Amino acid sequence: SRHYSSGPPKLSPYDVNCILRSNEYTQEFSSGSVKSYDSNQLASNSPIEDSRSEASCVFTSGLLFGVFDGHAGASCSQVIAKRLLRYIAASLVPPDVLKQHLSNGAQSHSFLHCYNDRLEFVSEIRDLYEKSFYRYAQSLTEASLASFQMHQTLENAFLSLDGDLSREAQEATSLRTMSVAMSGAVALVAHIDGAHLHVASVGDCQAVLGTITDTGQWNATKLTSEHNADNVAEVRRLLSEHPSTERETVIRGERLLGQLMPLRAIGDFRYKWTKEQLDALVVPQFGEQAIPPNYLTPPYLTATPEIVRHVLTPRDRFLVIASDGLWDTMSATQVVRLVGEHMYGKAFLQPLKLPKHDVTLGEISQMLSTRKAGLSRKPMDKNAATHLIRNALGGTEYGIEHSKISHMLSLPHDVVRLFRDDMTVTVIYFDSEFLRNSPS
């Protein structure tokens, strides 16, 4: 039915805008293949279990964008949102240059220039994380530049951080390191340097490329595959890693060991440690029920990312990366169409600018009529991530319906999670002019 609740909407359009826009952010760049990005988040869980991070690499060219969706608490997702991009940035620096930076006292945060980052680690945990980072960075200095391969480098960063989270929980056992180890997160990171785009993903966040055809149609290309029980290749991989006697128990009810939806994740050491480690570290704090059923041949979970490389062309206009809260509500094609239309409609949010040369009244009249025709496409939001979230919550075949958004945003805390998940969305716009002139 199109009636979402009895009586008038609980929230006014003004209230809805305040909620939807409270976390939105836009960053513009003056050079390179990325023109700008829009990001936004809307919580369902309290506190939100999604995290996001965006940064420029300080010692190499290139930008990093990350989306992280936590489960069993927010700890792991918050921690890796800050640490994973640092691990990747350090691994992109040539070994001899890295050695130099480390001997000059570079710390993990020195490798990135972050945007819209308001969280800082408390000092005791910061020192622990810094030691781990230093050990990891030192190991990178021993590699040879000739053997550099982007796939290998990204995979190594994911696995090294996951290994460090495991070691920290075992060696510096505290409530903090343990809460990170007992929670988990799926992660997606995009690295963009000139025309080169790499996407590394574990779990079910997704990256979708928006490309325009000769005839002005929008095409959506998914650059990620979700690591869950719907992915036949992924299920096959998992079953091949365990004895055939476990065929019925490795995945039960579409979940890993009947419990976890994603089949790859960072953290979640309840599905990675040996039975002896769980008995020693986890059971004393969390009880026997913390050990998953049929836990016979661990590890059952991996943090190995799937990595895709794409060479950007001038037709590639934007990349959308988002947690499954968005993709649960709309398809890749719908998302690309919404951002594409928003891109053109956004021009009408700006005041009319006349060209610098002399214009005739006829030309002005033509511009005004084009503008008038376009005003019907004028979006409510300047920020494309907000535009997507608004459509995810309130989109119907008739357009955005206020009563539906109002209902979705005023659901009580104890039921909201049944209707919508945390949403984190970043829309990255490419500079077609730059890509037209860039050697691929």
Side-chain angles (χ1 to χ4, degrees), residues 96-395:
D96 51 337
V97 181
L98 179 59
K99 202 173 212 155
Q100 194 62 53
H101 287 307
L102 291 173
S103 62
N104 291 342
Q107 292 195 298
S108 64
H109 62 81
S110 324
F111 289 82
L112 291 176
H113 173 74
C114 292
Y115 305 99
N116 190 27
D117 180 18
R118 295 184 288 269
L119 289 173
E120 202 33 86
F121 293 130
V122 294
S123 56
E124 70 199 73
I125 207 91
R126 190 166 60 230
D127 296 344
L128 175 68
Y129 290 167
E130 214 46 61
K131 276 199 191 87
S132 293
F133 176 84
Y134 186 76
R135 187 187 290 122
Y136 162 72
Q138 279 295 353
S139 73
L140 296 173
T141 64
E142 288 148 27
S144 80
L145 186 57
S147 66
F148 178 86
Q149 283 198 315
M150 193 63 172
H151 273 60
Q152 204 50 56
T153 299
L154 288 170
E155 182 176 304
N156 182 43
F158 272 70
L159 292 174
S160 297
L161 176 57
D162 196 55
D164 284 347
L165 295 174
S166 169
R167 193 177 38 75
E168 288 156 3
Q170 292 174 64
E171 290 177 8
T173 311
S174 72
L175 203 54
R176 269 215 177 80
T177 56
M178 216 50 191
S179 82
V180 173
M182 287 297 96
S183 59
V186 297
L188 184 154
V189 176
H191 176 262
I192 304 166
D193 187 1
H196 300 279
L197 163 66
H198 287 85
V199 176
S201 173
V202 288
D204 55 9
C205 294
Q206 287 187 53
V208 171
L209 194 63
T211 306
I212 198 154
T213 65
D214 282 346
T215 55
Q217 302 297 303
W218 286 104
N219 277 348
T221 308
K222 278 179 68 170
L223 298 179
T224 43
S225 47
E226 295 108 299
H227 302 131
N228 57 27
D230 296 331
N231 179 335
V232 179
E234 188 63 6
V235 170
R236 205 172 283 141
R237 170 194 69 79
L238 188 58
L239 292 177
S240 74
E241 292 170 1
H242 299 277
S244 55
T245 49
E246 291 186 59
R247 281 192 80 80
E248 302 302 312
T249 55
V250 171
I251 295 176
R252 276 201 126 142
E254 303 208 323
R255 291 170 179 262
L256 181 70
L257 298 174
Q259 294 187 344
L260 195 66
M261 282 293 268
L263 302 183
R264 302 191 197 190
I266 296 177
D268 285 316
F269 294 106
R270 288 173 49 207
Y271 305 97
K272 294 175 181 172
W273 283 342
T274 63
K275 179 80 166 54
E276 292 69 36
Q277 285 172 308
L278 291 182
D279 281 333
L281 294 158
V282 177
V283 172
Q285 278 190 58
F286 301 93
E288 285 290 341
Q289 72 278 2
I291 299 181
N294 304 297
Y295 198 72
L296 308 168
T297 53
Y300 287 90
L301 189 64
T302 178
T304 305
E306 202 168 323
I307 297 161
V308 172
R309 173 178 180 252
H310 174 82
V311 179
L312 295 166
T313 74
R315 298 202 174 286
D316 297 324
R317 293 301 166 86
F318 54 83
L319 177 73
V320 180
I321 62 173
S323 60
D324 67 339
L326 178 73
W327 309 110
D328 286 346
T329 67
M330 54 176 95
S331 69
T333 305
Q334 284 172 301
V335 165
V336 165
R337 200 167 291 149
L338 280 167
V339 176
E341 286 169 3
H342 179 266
M343 223 169 104
Y344 287 130
K346 203 165 58 167
F348 301 103
L349 290 171
Q350 312 295 334
L352 176 64
K353 278 201 183 82
L354 291 176
K356 296 228 176 358
H357 61 82
D358 290 342
V359 282
T360 64
L361 278 173
E363 285 171 330
I364 292 178
S365 159
Q366 182 60 52
M367 286 166 76
L368 287 171
S369 59
T370 309
R371 188 174 172 84
K372 191 174 176 192
L375 282 174
S376 62
R377 305 206 321 236
K378 175 177 159 180
M380 290 178 75
D381 303 293
K382 239 180 176 163
N383 184 302
T386 310
H387 181 65
L388 285 173
I389 293 173
R390 187 185 293 275
N391 277 274
L393 295 181

Side-chain angles (χ1 to χ4, degrees), residues 25-31 34-37 115:
Y25 179 81
T26 296
Q27 177 69 43
E28 295 182 352
F29 300 97
S30 53
S31 61
V34 174
K35 237 199 268 197
S36 65
Y37 75 82
Y115 305 99

Side-chain angles (χ1 to χ4, degrees), residues 12-31:
S12 70
Y14 174 81
D15 298 331
V16 164
N17 287 344
C18 287
I19 295 169
L20 290 184
R21 294 173 183 166
S22 64
N23 292 316
E24 68 179 8
Y25 179 81
T26 296
Q27 177 69 43
E28 295 182 352
F29 300 97
S30 53
S31 61

Side-chain angles (χ1 to χ4, degrees), residues 23 41-52 68-79 119 179 183-184 413-414 416-417 420-424:
N23 292 316
Q41 283 189 301
L42 179 71
S44 162
N45 292 294
S46 183
I48 188 169
E49 291 182 342
D50 279 9
S51 299
R52 37 139 291 279
F68 311 90
D69 182 352
H71 42 260
S75 307
C76 183
S77 127
Q78 286 176 352
V79 164
L119 289 173
S179 82
S183 59
H413 275 306
D414 49 347
V416 63
R417 191 62 188 77
R420 61 181 177 88
D421 195 358
D422 295 333
M423 285 185 205
T424 298

